[in-house]
Amino acid sequence: MGMSPYVRRIRDAIGHDLLLPPAASAIIRSERGKVLLLKRCDDGKWNPPGGHIDPDETPAFAAERDLFEKSGLVARAKKLDDVIGGRTIKHRYPNSDLMQPLIVYFFCEVLGGNLHAVNGEASEFRYFA
C-alpha cells in the first residue's frame, strides 16, 4: 500500500519535515509464545506489522487492516498491549521523510489468511522469542 492519500497530502504540505502520526501495530503470538515480526524492505529492520491510523479509523481497525495489507493475515484486535512514542522510534525513510509515530499496540488473534509478503513493504516474516 505504501503512503495513504491522507499522509501524502500532509507530506505535500510539509515536505520531509518531522511528522508525528498516530499508528497501530498488531502483536501476533505463535502457540509457543513467539512474536511475529516483519523485515522492512526500506531499511532491513524487524518490526511488528503496523502502520498509520487513517482518518475515521479506530486504532484497533488500523492494526487489523495494516496486518492484512502487509501479511495476508486476517486478525481481530483483542487487547491493548502498549502505547509508545518518543525519539527511540523516530524513523527516516529512504526518501528523507522523517516520522516519529505514537504507536498503539494490540494483541491480535489470527482468524485466517496465509502469511506472505503482500504489498512490498516487508521482505520476510519470522517469529522471534
Side-chain angles (χ1 to χ4, degrees):
M1 168 83 184
M3 193 180 301
S4 74
Y6 175 72
V7 174
R8 169 61 32 225
R9 286 194 308 273
I10 294 170
R11 279 287 167 214
D12 288 346
I14 69 168
H16 301 295
D17 288 346
L18 179 65
L19 182 60
L20 300 157
S25 284
I27 304 297
I28 305 293
R29 292 193 176 273
S30 70
E31 292 177 5
R32 296 181 179 208
K34 293 183 177 183
V35 176
L36 180 67
L37 299 180
L38 62 81
K39 187 174 185 180
R40 298 173 62 109
C41 286
D42 61 359
D43 64 8
K45 293 182 180 178
W46 291 91
N47 300 113
H52 298 111
I53 300 170
D54 287 331
D56 301 323
E57 285 185 328
T58 65
F61 179 83
E64 295 164 357
R65 173 188 51 75
D66 207 80
L67 174 68
F68 179 73
E69 289 176 355
K70 286 183 173 69
S71 73
L73 293 178
V74 176
R76 179 180 353 194
K78 299 291 279 183
K79 181 180 176 189
L80 178 68
D81 175 42
D82 202 357
V83 178
I84 66 167
R87 83 181 86 186
T88 60
I89 60 170
K90 192 180 284 187
H91 181 78
R92 185 169 300 276
Y93 287 87
N95 70 354
S96 296
D97 286 353
L98 185 58
M99 298 278 200
Q100 186 176 312
L102 177 69
I103 306 173
V104 182
Y105 288 90
F106 290 93
F107 288 116
C108 294
E109 173 188 12
V110 175
L111 304 174
N114 294 308
L115 182 61
H116 65 286
V118 175
N119 66 0
E121 292 183 42
S123 62
E124 185 179 346
F125 293 88
R126 193 179 307 164
Y127 284 91
F128 290 86

